[in-house]
Amino acid sequence: MSAHCQLTGAQPGFGNNVSHSHRRTSRRSDPNIQRKRYWLPSEGRHVRLAISARAIKTIDSIGVEAAVARIRARREKV
């Protein structure tokens, strides 16, 4: 599973670890991606989404129908 949120588009961030002696090594900070299953009443089926923890809260507030519409607007398969 790639570290990519289907709803918000969150992707890994890249940067450097900086030691006490200021040596720099590359690091990667992944978003908190969860696979979650939602019931989609309009289609009468479940959909499985790979979404971030922040996107789960967004779906709780706007509803799964609006969230799936946003995902489809980004031209991602649901």
Side-chain angles (χ1 to χ4, degrees):
M1 171 173 52
S2 67
H4 169 78
C5 177
Q6 288 182 298
L7 180 61
T8 62
Q11 292 179 337
F14 296 91
N16 290 315
N17 284 327
V18 182
S19 72
H20 182 68
S21 64
H22 287 277
R23 280 183 160 267
R24 286 165 170 81
T25 55
S26 62
R27 65 176 299 231
R28 175 179 158 145
S29 175
D30 289 330
N32 186 5
I33 300 295
Q34 310 290 322
R35 286 190 60 83
K36 197 153 166 62
R37 199 174 95 155
Y38 288 99
W39 174 251
L40 200 57
S42 64
E43 297 181 17
R45 68 183 183 104
H46 286 96
V47 291
R48 191 174 299 263
L49 303 174
I51 53 179
S52 63
R54 187 180 73 188
I56 291 173
K57 296 174 187 176
T58 302
I59 291 174
D60 289 343
S61 66
I62 68 170
V64 68
E65 296 286 345
V68 168
R70 284 188 194 182
I71 292 169
R72 288 183 173 148
R74 297 179 70 231
R75 298 208 169 123
E76 287 202 32
K77 186 180 174 189
V78 176

